[in-house]
Amino acid sequence: MSILNSGKFLIVIFIIEEIFSFRCDRRPYGSITQSSAPDGRYRLEVVGLDKTYIPEQLYTVQITRTDEDSLFTMFTISAEGDTTPDPRNPRRLILLDAGQVSPMDQTTARYTVRCPNSVEQTISSPKDTVAVYWQAPMSGNGCVTLRAMVAENEAVWFEDGAPLTLRLCEDLSQPDDIAPVINNECSVCEEAKYEISFTGIWSRNTHPTLYPENDWVPRFSELVGASHSTEYNLWMPGSLASEGLKVLAEYANSSALEIEIREKIGDGVRTMIKGKGHGYLRMSTPSYSSFRADKVNHLITVAVALSPSPDWFLGVSRFELCSEENTWLEERELNLYPWDAGTDSGISYESVNIPTYPQDNINRVAMSSPDKNSPFFETDMKDLHPFGKLNLKLVRTYQRECEDTTDAGETPAPDGGGSDGAEDGNEPEEPSRYQTQHTTGDRGGEAPVVRDPETSEDCPMTQWAEWSICEGPCKDGRVDGYKWRERYHMINGKAVEKYDPNNPDAEGTEDTVPEYCKNNYEEFDGESCEEDCEETVTVERRVMTPIAPGHGWTSKRRDLPKVKN
């Protein structure tokens, strides 16, 4: 009986050892001896890493000697993942991904059939160092253990323990361009209006490796995206690209993606975002757009294609604007790095068209590529210059009724909480690009505004307002900047301020404007501009007061103090 019990005990121990260690026989070929404890003469290291790894990055793993004389003939390098309880059956353990170990040079290393996810020597010749690749696993796989066996000969070999064993865990730090956690309980009262701008950085100076030979070829597509709810997905890492995103990423054509977004306005999408694309000599010119957000539609997703490229694009996915404190994000600048749409297998900017079949998931463009034909050959993300920057800026907020309303005696917040700060009779501050100033006094008969002849009788809109001044830095006597103008939908001969509950005349008109009109006639127009300027000038600036419902266009002049770029 005791023998049977002992046998069962040994079997259990064997199973537990098998589950938790996932070890294999790394003994040198021909050896009949046991391994020795590492004596410090050989070291396993990952170049550039200490204790953490960045998911999906390609790293160099090497064995080196620590003295001037030691040599080894055989080795094995393995990657082992952690275990975690199976969520469907907590009694069962599942093995997490450890990434992939692969040879760097086939003359020195090869895959081994004796151990999973391992490489060994190709020739048993004396050597003082050896290097292989390790592709880190995707995010969410926790820690990985890298192990090395080093043999001087069949009788003298070492394994396990420092410095021949490394345990690396996923880097969970949050860089500046990581999106905030999605706030599924957003209950902010106000609606928000944002300005969004994209500035390209991709150039021969910043990204010289395999940059297209002809400088007039590279360009950025239009900036396209949407403010939307948590239920809507324009694109997301790990998912398949839609046909619209495929066309954008491969051909820098935004038309199909715009149609996909427009079809969802009112059904998960609040505002479509679109900014101008730029090419030769204007790659770094900012593209602007604006959008609205509310407590239901508090995420944004945007994309900008790189051209030429196989299927690469820049952008952010499901970026949260509503904080956990239920306030709107004031301003944020994001560094943008390339994404791969998973529809083309080209390796470089000007690769021939190689359709990916079956289609792969959206993911980061492979960094630290071992392929010399890639512009990211042996380049880590942390060493890569951003390809562009995205800037988000809260322009203003519009007060909405909340279930838990503010006490009657409480003073409302200044502009940003719905007030324009003009009731005290003083000159208001310079309005931002999109700020609306509401007028309450009589303006002389409330003359009806003139319809834009480009719009139809079914979807009337006001004529475009005057262009703003050309805004931008003054360099060498020229402004290379951006100008804008606005117009409004019309109801019964009067202009309608969309989505603006502060204006009594606009109440109830949001649903009156047909969805077709909202989708097919733009309220905002902007374009690049160039003007002469002086480094130090006195600026006489025309400040436009956007039209209030029932009133005509007016403007006033304001002398600004001397300013210097």
Side-chain angles (χ1 to χ4, degrees):
M1 187 69 177
S2 61
I3 294 176
L4 292 175
N5 289 339
S6 176
K8 291 180 180 178
F9 180 74
L10 290 176
I11 291 173
V12 171
I13 291 298
F14 174 78
I15 292 174
I16 293 176
E17 174 70 15
E18 189 69 16
I19 291 174
F20 281 89
S21 67
F22 296 91
R23 299 297 303 281
C24 64
D25 185 8
R26 292 191 293 269
R27 186 187 304 269
Y29 292 104
S31 176
I32 58 173
T33 64
Q34 297 295 319
S35 64
S36 301
D39 58 10
R41 289 185 295 126
Y42 305 104
R43 179 177 60 195
L44 178 68
E45 62 182 357
V46 181
V47 178
L49 289 190
D50 183 16
K51 297 180 180 179
T52 60
Y53 67 85
I54 298 175
E56 302 182 68
Q57 292 299 297
L58 187 68
Y59 295 103
T60 297
V61 181
Q62 61 187 19
I63 299 173
T64 58
R65 65 183 182 184
T66 60
D67 58 26
E68 297 296 327
D69 303 315
S70 298
L71 296 173
F72 59 96
T73 60
M74 292 173 280
F75 71 90
T76 302
I77 298 177
S78 306
E80 300 173 0
D82 273 354
T83 59
T84 187
D86 188 336
R88 294 172 296 181
N89 182 5
R91 295 183 180 181
R92 179 175 177 267
L93 295 177
I94 57 176
L95 183 63
L96 297 176
D97 184 19
Q100 180 64 48
V101 178
S102 60
M104 180 182 292
D105 186 346
Q106 296 289 344
T107 64
T108 60
R110 66 185 180 186
Y111 292 106
T112 176
V113 297
R114 299 194 301 167
C115 296
N117 206 6
S118 303
V119 296
E120 62 182 9
Q121 74 285 341
T122 301
I123 302 174
S124 299
S125 58
K127 52 186 74 69
D128 58 15
T129 185
V130 69
V132 301
Y133 286 125
W134 172 57
Q135 180 83 45
M138 295 180 63
S139 179
N141 282 283
C143 299
V144 174
T145 301
L146 299 176
R147 300 181 187 275
M149 181 281 292
V150 180
E152 294 183 341
N153 51 56
E154 293 88 346
V156 181
W157 58 287
F158 312 92
E159 70 170 345
D160 287 343
L164 294 181
T165 299
L166 295 175
R167 184 171 173 80
L168 303 170
C169 296
E170 180 181 349
D171 186 353
L172 297 177
S173 61
Q174 298 294 305
D176 290 340
D177 52 0
I178 293 295
V181 176
I182 292 179
N183 181 8
N184 291 306
E185 304 298 329
C186 179
S187 57
V188 63
C189 295
E190 302 90 354
E191 293 187 359
K193 186 171 188 178
Y194 279 89
E195 172 188 287
I196 182 172
S197 64
F198 166 75
T199 304
I201 299 176
W202 182 38
S203 69
R204 189 180 300 280
N205 292 329
T206 57
H207 303 84
T209 305
L210 298 178
Y211 189 81
E213 183 177 353
N214 296 322
D215 286 332
W216 58 86
V217 172
R219 67 183 180 92
F220 292 110
S221 75
E222 289 83 358
L223 170 71
V224 182
S227 61
H228 57 89
S229 70
T230 57
E231 304 300 319
Y232 177 75
N233 176 29
L234 180 60
W235 70 267
M236 187 169 62
S239 64
L240 294 176
S242 67
E243 182 63 24
L245 184 65
K246 175 182 182 295
V247 173
L248 177 78
E250 292 189 15
Y251 304 105
N253 186 326
S254 64
S255 299
L257 189 59
E258 291 176 38
I259 292 173
E260 292 178 358
I261 296 171
R262 289 183 185 278
E263 289 176 346
K264 290 295 183 178
I265 291 179
D267 184 21
V269 170
R270 171 70 189 262
T271 308
M272 188 180 84
I273 298 169
K274 184 177 180 182
K276 188 178 180 64
H278 293 295
Y280 182 54
L281 296 181
R282 306 184 67 84
M283 294 279 283
S284 60
T285 301
S287 296
Y288 293 92
S289 187
S290 65
F291 65 89
R292 299 286 185 113
D294 54 50
K295 65 180 180 181
V296 175
N297 305 285
H298 48 90
L299 305 178
I300 65 159
T301 301
V302 295
V304 178
L306 300 174
S307 179
S309 76
D311 58 346
W312 301 343
F313 66 98
L314 310 176
V316 293
S317 173
R318 300 173 68 81
F319 186 89
E320 179 62 81
L321 301 170
C322 179
S323 72
E324 293 182 355
E325 293 77 27
N326 289 313
T327 58
W328 290 113
L329 177 74
E330 291 287 341
E331 187 169 8
R332 185 77 175 270
E333 185 176 80
L334 308 171
N335 294 323
L336 302 181
Y337 298 90
W339 292 96
D340 188 322
T343 60
D344 190 292
S345 299
I347 194 69
S348 188
Y349 299 121
E350 298 181 285
S351 295
V352 297
N353 187 34
I354 309 174
T356 301
Y357 184 82
Q359 183 175 331
D360 203 354
N361 292 334
I362 299 170
N363 217 322
R364 282 290 186 192
V365 171
M367 295 293 136
S368 303
S369 172
D371 193 327
K372 292 184 178 180
N373 295 316
S374 168
F376 311 111
F377 173 65
E378 295 186 346
T379 302
D380 290 337
M381 178 77 81
K382 64 180 182 296
D383 301 323
L384 187 66
H385 205 75
F387 277 64
K389 289 184 180 292
L390 196 72
N391 186 272
L392 293 164
K393 184 177 181 180
L394 180 64
V395 176
R396 63 163 300 173
T397 58
Y398 302 92
Q399 191 67 43
R400 285 288 199 188
E401 290 291 333
C402 288
E403 293 181 3
D404 296 324
T405 55
T406 307
D407 293 339
E410 187 173 337
T411 303
D415 189 42
S419 171
D420 291 313
E423 280 83 357
D424 56 5
N426 297 325
E427 185 80 7
E429 293 184 0
E430 174 78 9
S432 67
R433 177 176 289 126
Y434 304 107
Q435 183 173 336
T436 300
Q437 291 183 335
H438 299 289
T439 55
T440 56
D442 183 7
R443 306 184 78 175
E446 298 186 359
V449 294
V450 179
R451 180 176 67 84
D452 187 337
E454 294 182 0
T455 59
S456 67
E457 294 288 347
D458 295 332
C459 297
M461 294 193 74
T462 64
Q463 289 185 320
W464 288 105
E466 297 179 27
W467 286 102
S468 70
I469 65 168
C470 188
E471 300 182 11
C474 183
K475 295 181 180 179
D476 300 324
R478 294 288 291 175
V479 171
D480 185 3
Y482 179 81
K483 62 181 181 179
W484 58 275
R485 59 181 180 172
E486 289 183 306
R487 64 179 178 180
Y488 295 93
H489 291 281
M490 295 173 62
I491 300 294
N492 297 326
K494 296 182 179 180
V496 176
E497 175 67 53
K498 282 180 62 179
Y499 305 122
D500 189 353
N502 283 329
N503 195 315
D505 294 338
E507 290 183 0
T509 59
E510 180 175 329
D511 295 332
T512 305
V513 179
E515 199 71 25
Y516 172 83
C517 301
K518 297 178 184 178
N519 295 346
N520 288 275
Y521 291 94
E522 301 289 346
E523 296 176 288
F524 178 85
D525 183 26
E527 63 180 37
S528 301
C529 57
E530 293 184 5
E531 289 183 4
D532 293 330
C533 64
E534 297 180 11
E535 294 295 327
T536 303
V537 297
T538 299
V539 180
E540 183 181 66
R541 181 169 184 174
R542 180 175 293 276
V543 179
M544 295 186 301
T545 304
I547 193 169
H551 297 279
W553 292 104
T554 61
S555 64
K556 58 185 177 181
R557 293 182 181 272
R558 178 184 301 156
D559 289 334
L560 301 182
K562 289 186 178 182
V563 294
K564 187 172 182 178
N565 179 42

